[in-house]
Amino acid sequence: MKRAFLFAHPAAHSLSPRMHNAAFQWIGMDGVYQAVDIEPSCLGKALLRLKEPEVIGANLSLPHKEAVIPFLDEIEPVAKRIGAVNTLMRRDGKLMGTNTDADGFYQSLLEGGYQPQGVALILGAGGAARAAVHALSQAGLTIWIQNRTPSRAEHLLESMQVEGRVFATQEEIPFKEVGLLVNSSSAGLSNPQESPLTVPFPELQAGATVYDMVYKPLYTRLLLEAQEHGYNTVTGIGMLVHQARLAFERWTGQAVPASVMFDAVKDTLQ
């Protein structure tokens, strides 16, 4: 039996086992995917599991995406630029890391009807923001970041060698130039009534898209307000599904339709 893991802390809430086990079943492979709660101090020991012959790979979530890098033999360029690894593979005895978050984000964005225009405004400056910055800068968009700690956002842009603007408060933002608004912060995750900022929605560009990486609840306050003003909205579940689909393909060499993974989790979404 083939095996794959998610290493996270905490891990019990993860939807990844549902998605990957459905994918194993769809391709007819005898395999199992397990989410394991790994405390930060135990990460190195946990990675030894990947040397077992039946293990084909692993995913990483908070707080391990950056901490894992010193343990790896090789890091693919996309992960190196983002500064975070979410997928591990074993090749010729070497432990390799990559990042499927950026491609997963952008594919879900396009599937959601996004038409590139204007400036991309990203809320937050953490690991998820890095994935969005990579994808959007590769697509040629101008990047703006709004973060309560401007120095963190400035470091993000500098370390990724991306030109852009940083705003400490929303009052500074010229919203009329924004064609894409991305929430990469956790606002709305624990409290559906919370919003990352009070957006003056009538001021966004006509036809703008609002994207929220939070997927539980599926429709956050930010997205509901955007819909009320007629803007295109994209939920975060697509990013979760696509990053998982891309990781699974790296491990098995087989492509699985995104619908297979989405159907495995849709009953958990609200």
Side-chain angles (χ1 to χ4, degrees), residues 197-217:
L197 82 171
T198 304
V199 182
F201 277 113
E203 295 185 17
L204 294 186
Q205 287 192 353
T209 291
V210 179
Y211 186 111
D212 201 329
M213 290 187 182
V214 172
Y215 57 85
K216 291 189 77 174

Side-chain angles (χ1 to χ4, degrees), residues 87 100 103-104 107 241-251:
T87 301
T100 63
D103 283 347
Q107 287 187 31
V241 167
H242 278 293
Q243 63 80 25
R245 178 185 63 79
L246 292 167
F248 189 85
E249 186 172 351
R250 294 298 299 270
W251 298 331

